[in-house]
Amino acid sequence: MQISSNSSKVKNGDRHNEDSSSLLSSEERYKNLVANIPGAVYRCNCEWTGSDGELIRTMAFLSEAVQEISGYPSSDFINDRVRSFASIIHPQDRKNMEEALIKSVATRTPYILEYRILRADGEISWVYEKGQAVCGEGDEARERKEGQGEIEEFLSGVVSSVSPIANSLCQVVYLDGVILDITERKRAEEKLRNTQDFLNAVLQNLPVSVFIKDAVEQRFIYWNAASEELFGYSRDEVLGNNAADLLEADQANYLQAQDLEVFATGKEVDIPEEIIQLPHRGKRILHTKKVPLFDADGAPKYILGISQDITESKKTETELSRLAIVAQKTQNGVIITDAQGCIEWVNEAFTRISGYVLEEMLGKKPGDVLQGPQTDPLTIAQLRSALDKGEPFNQEIYNYRKDGKGYWVALSIAPIYRETGELEGFIAVETDITDRKQATESVRESESYYRCIVETASEGVWMFDADSSTTFANCRMAEMLGYTVEEMLGRSLFEFIDDEAREIAESYVQRRRQGIRERHDFQFTRKDGSHLWAIVSATPMFDADGEFAGVLRMITDISDRKQAEAELRQTLQELEFEKFALDQSAIVSNTNEFGVITYVNEQFCELFKYSREELNGKTHKLVNSGYHPTDFFKQLWSTIRQGNVWRGEMKNQAKDGRLFWLDTTIVPFLNSRGEPHQYVAIRKGLSESQLRTKNEELAKALRDVHKTQSMMVQNEKMVSLGQLVAGVAHEINNPVSFIYGNVMHADDYFQDLLKMLQLYQREYPEPTEAIREEIDDIDLKFLLKDLPKLLTSMKMGAERIRQIVLSLKNFSRLDEAEQKQVDIHEGIDSTLLILQHRLKETAGHPKITLVKEFGNLPRLQCYAGQLNQVFMNIIGNAIDALEEAMETGQWGDGEQAPIPSCPSPTLRICTEVKYEQAAVCADSIRRPSHIVIRIADNGPGIPIDVHERLFDPFFTTKEPGKGTGLGLSISYQIVVEKHGGRLKCNSAPGQGTEFAIEIPVARS
């Protein structure tokens, strides 16, 4: 190896030859030493130039190793022959390097540099340079070194230790040092740094918490971003602290104990679930793994911890677990299939509903097993289309059980998609709605039934929403107003009333909104502009939230009654005029029911010479002449107390003692009970025959008015009774329908419980002592025997109540203003059902035997409600007669009796058709002319003298308080005047009684 140097010259002069030989030997030794140093050794001269003190280095010696480092031979740099060494230093590193050299020279301290150089091949290499400044010394030291040789002197300077502080007297004359190629180390460091950055970035972006503690004090030395988010502490808050600085003492001690366990075992510790209370985030559930890290000697150095927040996943897992339990235990059937619709899982409810277990259904398509001939093909097509498209499906479908029985289910199918959007399968939920379907069918039939009742009812049914718009009206309601049902729907209530009635109608609507039910008269306007007077029974309706939803109004046509009232007012007005005329021309006095005078006219006072004050409060004894015997007045009072008019001549006495005869008429006025409550006495002189005639006419007019008034009162009672009966029937029907509909289900449930009990008895024939005692206490055998009978009785009772409700509805049609085609037998049966309690056996009264002999009758055009009233009156009278016979023992058992030789009280009702003959082409064709209803009893019969007055108003043979005397009179008017028929009575004492009602089939 060659060494280039400008200091290798050996001085001649006063040195001896032996010194030259020694020097050569020393140089050869040090050449070998330099050649084996792993770097380039150099010595450079230093010069300070310029005012700013720039340090310039010039290479005086540089080993050839620099060529391997820089690609340039060392000779290029000696004395800057080709280039200076500073020229190959990377421009970005020159300034820092120069500053470091200047500082080292100034402080007389060694320098260590790392910088980049530009190689001859254009590559960049990293070099490590270490050196020191060499200062000038005194003569003695210089002479001592001159004997060593320059190379020995240089090497001794490089390899010897350098004093940290040079002698202040010395002067820096050159720099000695060595340059090493550290490119590979720098690349390794860069790679390591990149790897560390990569790993740190990975750890910082991991979705799980990663932390590292030292093994001695367990202080945190690493804390990633996920740890900050999980624990709520920033990196600056954590690093350098331990768990005790951050958490509660108990929590910190628990975690430190874990760390000690990790070091003790020397293995990874996996904690699947640990609950930790965090100051910032509260209670969290963590999955933590801790791994011990050891140094080369096997001593604990670090703990690596990884924590994952599984709080939400645990909640989800819990929810999924609960959902799995719900899916298994729910009452709805659950089916899970793959994407092709093949079954993967079914729950217990599906097995209960269909009869198929999971093993029987695995891999099969539900439609292939459950659907059958009665399953709707359209529904099947829609189901398959939804499955093919991967869409939801919600519909009702008819399936078949394993045992072949059909059942209805509400089927809801939802597709299940993966996160990639790929169809994974389907989940289906089915609800057994067989009972609901059957109930719906029953409700539909009941709805049709009740709609028929509503549509055939004699009353108008009118429903409104909260805004008073029509939502329903039956045919009768539309007929009353002259509209069709379609014309009424959607129209406001106020469109059917005039302006005068609008204000009161609005007040009624407000009262309905307040929940007030009431009944009142109201005037509506028909389509043709005429007025309809009606009784309105208004009931407010509210929804499930208690909000006002509308009004149900029952409308009863009372136009005829209002017209009659108007006519009555007109008649009363006319009577007032006639009374005035009578007061001017006749002697008039009024008394109360006890005969006490309440009014006398001027003619009375003038004739009898008394003032009104003297007469009011007195009886007619004041003017009694004493001429007539006591029996005369008894007969008079007997007549008028029975509601009859008394006529006769009476001798009177004035205050002055004058006696005179007067033609006297006494007319009783009856109250609503048919009892006289006042009397009017009209007196005229015998010579005035015209006045007598007038008085008779007036008395007759008063009787007619009273008769009309009483009949109106009676008819109003029957209308109210009919509304009451209809309302009661409606209110009873709902709970009865509920009871009737649920008794059958209760019976089914009992049978299921009985089967379960029997199964328990078979499977566990030896019950425990407690069970045996309970069986004895409740008398289980009797309970199982008697409960089916109890349910059967309940069903029979509910059916009986339904029949009674139907009869009440049929009978309640008392105010039908129009004729209807009806079945007469239904009216008779309804009446008998209402009077059934009077036919039964009671204490002291035997049972009344009912004999029905119904013929084949055509439907009859008639006033059904009014005929029901006729049946009620006549059958009720027959029962009264039989009850009287039970008390007196007088039975109608003669040969001519309608019910001959009957030993017990009997009521017989016969119906038949009466025909008329018509000759056509010599053939006789029988056409029905009348329907005949015969109602007979074997009571005591009716005397002959009573027959003539049987149908007179207010005539009765019953005891006071038991009858008004209007029943047969009204029945006669209904049959004869309303229907053009005949009402006859066939009776005699001891022969029983029979009433025959004949109604023409077709009236001209």
Side-chain angles (χ1 to χ4, degrees), residues 848 877-886 891 905-907 937-939:
I848 297 176
N877 286 342
I879 295 175
D880 289 342
L882 291 173
E883 290 176 348
E884 179 184 350
M886 295 177 195
W891 297 98
T906 304
L907 176 66
D937 63 80
N938 60 345

Side-chain angles (χ1 to χ4, degrees), residues 707 711 953 968-979:
K707 174 182 175 182
M711 292 186 66
L968 289 178
S969 175
I970 293 174
S971 298
Y972 187 87
Q973 290 182 353
I974 291 173
V975 174
V976 177
E977 297 177 10
K978 286 280 189 178
H979 292 85

Side-chain angles (χ1 to χ4, degrees), residues 151 263 439 903 917:
I151 294 177
F263 286 126
Q917 297 291 331

Side-chain angles (χ1 to χ4, degrees), residues 770-907:
I771 294 176
R772 281 197 297 269
E773 290 177 0
E774 186 64 21
I775 290 173
D776 294 338
D777 289 344
I778 66 174
D779 196 355
L780 181 60
K781 291 184 179 179
F782 172 77
L783 188 148
L784 296 177
K785 181 179 180 182
D786 188 61
L787 187 55
K789 298 178 182 179
L790 176 63
L791 293 173
T792 302
S793 299
M794 291 174 66
K795 286 193 285 188
M796 292 174 62
E799 181 62 32
R800 177 63 177 163
I801 294 175
R802 290 182 66 188
Q803 293 175 359
I804 291 174
V805 169
L806 178 60
S807 298
L808 290 175
K809 286 182 176 291
N810 288 335
F811 182 78
S812 65
R813 301 181 295 183
L814 294 175
D815 57 337
E816 289 192 0
E818 301 295 335
Q819 291 190 357
K820 303 288 184 182
Q821 288 277 353
V822 298
D823 184 356
I824 289 296
H825 291 157
E826 288 185 1
I828 295 174
D829 287 337
S830 299
T831 304
L832 289 172
L833 187 60
I834 294 173
L835 295 173
Q836 183 70 33
H837 66 284
R838 298 189 63 188
L839 302 177
K840 296 180 178 179
E841 180 179 1
T842 59
H845 289 79
K847 174 184 177 182
I848 297 176
T849 302
L850 176 64
V851 178
K852 293 195 294 185
E853 299 176 0
F854 288 175
N856 187 15
L857 302 183
R859 295 180 69 84
L860 184 65
Q861 183 85 6
C862 64
Y863 299 97
Q866 295 182 6
L867 283 184
N868 287 345
Q869 184 178 352
V870 173
F871 299 148
M872 177 67 75
N873 290 335
I874 295 178
I875 295 175
N877 286 342
I879 295 175
D880 289 342
L882 291 173
E883 290 176 348
E884 179 184 350
M886 295 177 195
E887 295 177 358
T888 61
Q890 298 178 2
W891 297 98
D893 55 357
E895 295 181 357
Q896 302 299 322
I899 309 176
S901 304
C902 187
S904 62
T906 304
L907 176 66

Side-chain angles (χ1 to χ4, degrees), residues 489-507:
L489 293 178
R491 299 184 66 173
S492 172
L493 166 68
F494 300 103
E495 296 183 40
F496 300 94
I497 58 178
D498 55 25
D499 294 338
E500 295 179 0
R502 184 180 184 89
E503 183 176 351
I504 189 172
E506 289 175 346
S507 68

Side-chain angles (χ1 to χ4, degrees), residues 34-185:
V34 170
N36 290 291
I37 292 176
V41 178
Y42 69 88
R43 168 171 284 183
C44 61
N45 298 321
C46 296
E47 294 184 26
W48 295 90
T49 63
S51 59
D52 55 354
E54 180 181 359
L55 180 66
I56 299 176
R57 293 193 305 171
T58 304
M59 288 293 178
F61 170 80
L62 182 62
S63 66
E64 292 184 356
V66 74
Q67 185 170 358
E68 184 178 353
I69 296 173
S70 67
Y72 296 103
S74 61
S75 59
D76 285 358
F77 301 106
I78 301 301
N79 296 321
D80 298 336
R81 190 176 66 84
V82 177
R83 60 183 56 80
S84 67
F85 190 80
S87 66
I88 67 171
I89 298 175
H90 197 284
Q92 294 179 356
D93 297 340
R94 289 174 187 170
K95 182 177 180 181
N96 292 337
M97 178 182 171
E98 290 177 359
E99 290 176 352
L101 284 173
I102 292 172
K103 182 178 180 181
S104 176
V105 170
T107 59
R108 308 296 196 267
T109 59
Y111 57 86
I112 297 175
L113 305 174
E114 289 184 2
Y115 54 89
R116 291 169 290 177
I117 63 172
L118 301 176
R119 287 174 51 85
D121 56 7
E123 295 292 329
I124 295 176
S125 294
W126 277 91
V127 297
Y128 170 89
E129 180 179 346
K130 181 178 181 181
Q132 65 179 7
V134 179
C135 302
E137 299 175 345
D139 294 338
E140 294 180 359
R142 187 179 300 111
E143 291 177 357
R144 195 167 50 245
K145 288 185 177 180
E146 285 179 354
Q148 297 177 351
E150 292 183 2
I151 294 177
E152 184 179 359
E153 178 185 353
F154 168 74
L155 290 176
S156 65
V158 173
V159 299
S160 64
S161 60
V162 180
S163 173
I165 302 175
N167 191 315
S168 60
L169 298 177
C170 71
Q171 182 179 5
V172 176
V173 293
Y174 49 84
L175 300 175
D176 291 340
V178 62
I179 299 173
L180 303 175
D181 188 348
I182 59 172
T183 302
E184 293 301 323
R185 193 197 80 187

